[in-house]
Amino acid sequence: MNSMDLTFRNASLSDHECITPLIRAFYKEESLVFPETTLNDNLNQLLGEDGPGFIFLARESGNAVGYAVLTLGFSIEFGGKFLLLDELYLVPAQRGIGNGRLFLEFLCDVGLRTEAKALRLEALRTSAQVAKFYTQFGFVLDSRDLMTKRLV
């Protein structure tokens, strides 16, 4: 497979059927609970007009082979709007050949076009390979830990 064959585009409401299996595969790989009951509503919010973020599809020869979710945030620390790379997934056959780097370059370009001041992400602490990938791309491990309190 040649990484030059990969293309990226904004997902639309009509892409539910090709996004859902990719999300399911990502959640299985990351040992996350798949959001069966809320997924359609969440996709509709992200893919709708003026949603809280974006979903992008990676495609090869017309087939969806990955996706990324960027959500919008604002930070005084960063001087304004930032994007959170909430999810990034490529099918295993697309890894190790430069496609992750191409996808991140595309997402950074999206950030620049939307005038975001930073691109943030969360990654598993236990995956040295993932950490190495992101640090080689220029991401820096913050000195603070991400903490979560679910409100519902």
Side-chain angles (χ1 to χ4, degrees), residues 43 70 107 127:
L43 291 177
L70 290 178
L107 296 171
S127 177

Side-chain angles (χ1 to χ4, degrees), residues 24-137:
R24 190 177 300 279
F26 173 70
Y27 276 60
K28 182 177 181 179
E29 196 171 298
E30 295 286 312
S31 300
L32 298 170
V33 176
F34 184 75
E36 195 76 52
T37 59
T38 59
L39 182 63
N40 282 337
D41 288 340
N42 291 336
L43 291 177
N44 286 336
Q45 285 184 53
L46 281 168
L47 297 172
E49 293 289 321
D50 300 321
F54 316 93
I55 300 176
F56 297 96
L57 283 174
R59 301 180 72 81
E60 182 190 51
S61 302
N63 298 314
V65 296
Y67 77 99
V69 175
L70 290 178
T71 59
L72 304 169
F74 190 92
S75 170
I76 292 173
E77 176 184 355
F78 296 124
K81 182 171 40 172
F82 72 89
L83 294 174
L84 173 68
L85 178 52
D86 186 50
E87 297 180 9
L88 173 64
Y89 178 77
L90 286 170
V91 296
Q94 294 292 327
R95 300 177 196 166
I97 56 174
N99 287 337
R101 176 170 280 287
L102 288 175
F103 211 168
L104 278 177
E105 288 171 355
F106 170 81
L107 296 171
C108 286
D109 287 343
V110 168
L112 291 171
R113 286 194 311 270
T114 60
E115 300 180 356
K117 306 296 184 189
L119 178 61
R120 304 192 84 190
L121 61 85
E122 58 181 299
L124 287 174
R125 280 192 193 103
T126 56
S127 177
Q129 182 179 2
V130 169
K132 181 179 176 184
F133 170 72
Y134 286 121
T135 55
Q136 285 178 340
F137 197 80

